[in-house]
């Protein structure tokens, strides 16, 4: 669909610009992520039970017995990971491949969210979609971590946490960005989570204090800066890549 739309607007620059803007608006999940994160933060100030319930909009872990700090940690981790997956990675592929890159990445990301977690029904298909999502998100996650390092409050701590702690995370893409966010914000992420009755003890990331509810807004502000930085990078890629270059890149991806 994206390829056909781009070809239909190949010699119509205004239409191409509008198409790209519409596709970008449609695929990016930054605003909904920010809205949910801030909603949980607001509830944390007065109603922990409601905050736990609202947190389920963002994470798949069990939330019923989380402390206020654990709820805040879950939100910050979700903001970091999903800024990378739903915003930065889509922008990277849009910069490289245009509208087909934007739409294709979003489709892969959505497929992973739907069936990427193993289940008896979708085990093989889910495994394949999860691995595809990992590959597509790899450049975006590194860019997200780098931007958090450069645009955060403490670049040195962000770099130290990324280098030291990222490899301990079970996700090859969430690790770098969550570690960089932890260092940049001066907090500690990671720890014990429960998913569907299975308890995971994840290594700690960052050497800061425990997460507090006010850190949610700080993480959201950092995510905005990371998203803006990624937009600049994507726009630069798009301007530098000519139409033939993009066709070559698409052929390489599809080969």
């Amino acid at each position: 669909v994206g390829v056909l739309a781009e070809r239909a607007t190949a010699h119509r620059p205004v239409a191409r610009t509008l198409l790209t803007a519409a596709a970008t608006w449609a695929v990016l999940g930054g605003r909904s992520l920010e809205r949910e994160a801030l909603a949980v933060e607001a509830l944390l100030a007065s109603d922990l039970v409601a905050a736990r319930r609202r947190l389920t909009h963002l994470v798949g872990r069990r939330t019923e017995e989380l402390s206020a700090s654990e709820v805040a940690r879950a939100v910050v981790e979700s903001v970091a990971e999903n800024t990378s997956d739903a915003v930065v990675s889509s922008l990277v592929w849009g910069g490289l491949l245009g509208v087909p890159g934007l739409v294709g990445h979003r489709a892969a990301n959505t497929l992973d969210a739907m069936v990427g977690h193993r289940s008896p029904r979708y085990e093989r298909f889910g495994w394949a979609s999860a691995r595809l999502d990992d590959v597509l998100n790899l450049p975006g996650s590194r860019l997200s971590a780098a931007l958090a390092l450069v645009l955060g409050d403490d670049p040195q701590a962000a770099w130290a946490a990324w280098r030291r702690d990222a490899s301990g995370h079970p996700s090859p893409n969430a690790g770098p960005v969550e570690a960089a966010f932890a260092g940049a914000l001066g907090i500690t992420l990671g720890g014990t989570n429960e998913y569907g009755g299975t308890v995971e003890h994840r290594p700690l990331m960052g050497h800061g204090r425990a997460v507090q509810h006010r850190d949610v807004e700080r993480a959201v502000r950092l995510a905005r800066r990371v998203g803006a930085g990624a937009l600049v990078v994507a726009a630069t890629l798009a301007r530098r890549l000519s139409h033939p270059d993009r066709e070559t890149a698409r052929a390489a991806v599809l080969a």
Side-chain angles (χ1 to χ4, degrees):
V1 175
V3 173
L4 293 176
E6 278 213 335
R7 287 178 178 173
T9 58
H11 303 292
R12 300 158 62 191
V14 174
R16 171 66 66 85
T17 299
L18 292 174
L19 172 67
T20 303
T24 303
W25 177 84
V27 304
L28 296 187
R31 295 299 295 176
S32 59
L33 173 65
E34 177 181 318
R35 183 170 59 250
E36 289 297 330
L38 294 177
V40 176
E41 182 197 28
L43 289 169
L44 273 175
S46 58
D47 191 339
L48 177 58
V49 174
R52 290 167 175 163
R53 287 198 298 266
R54 189 63 181 257
L55 178 61
T56 60
H57 296 189
L58 285 173
V59 301
R61 71 190 69 176
R62 186 167 179 259
T63 66
E64 290 86 351
E65 298 179 3
L66 297 182
S67 67
S69 178
E70 288 171 328
V71 170
R73 172 173 68 85
V75 176
V76 172
E77 289 171 352
S78 180
V79 167
E81 181 177 5
N82 286 294
T83 295
S84 174
D85 288 356
V87 178
V88 177
S89 290
S90 290
L91 287 171
V92 167
W93 286 106
L96 289 171
L97 303 180
V99 173
L102 281 167
V103 176
H105 174 265
R106 189 57 178 167
N109 195 243
T110 301
L111 185 64
D112 176 55
M114 292 173 62
V115 298
H117 298 289
R118 290 192 175 185
S119 68
R121 184 176 182 181
Y122 296 116
E123 182 172 0
R124 292 184 180 179
F125 188 53
W127 180 90
S129 65
R131 299 293 77 74
L132 173 63
D133 191 61
D134 284 344
V135 171
L136 292 179
N137 285 332
L138 193 147
S141 69
R142 273 59 183 176
L143 176 60
S144 298
L147 289 170
L149 186 157
V150 172
L151 302 174
D153 296 334
D154 193 338
Q156 186 174 0
W159 169 242
W162 181 3
R163 183 180 57 184
R164 181 187 61 239
D165 303 328
S167 61
H169 197 287
S171 167
N173 294 323
V177 67
E178 288 186 21
F181 264 65
L185 296 170
I187 57 178
T188 297
L189 299 177
T192 301
N193 303 324
E194 183 178 340
Y195 299 91
T198 301
V199 177
E200 292 186 9
H201 301 286
R202 297 183 175 181
L204 300 180
M205 293 179 290
H207 278 176
R209 56 174 170 75
V211 186
Q212 300 173 5
H213 74 88
R214 68 174 183 269
D215 294 315
V216 172
E217 185 175 358
R218 296 177 62 227
V220 167
R221 289 200 302 267
L222 178 56
R224 288 174 187 161
R225 296 197 294 271
V226 168
L231 182 60
V232 172
V233 172
T236 302
L237 285 173
R239 292 182 66 179
R240 288 184 175 274
L241 287 174
S242 65
H243 183 68
D245 290 334
R246 280 188 170 172
E247 291 296 334
T248 301
R250 286 175 194 153
V253 170
L254 295 173

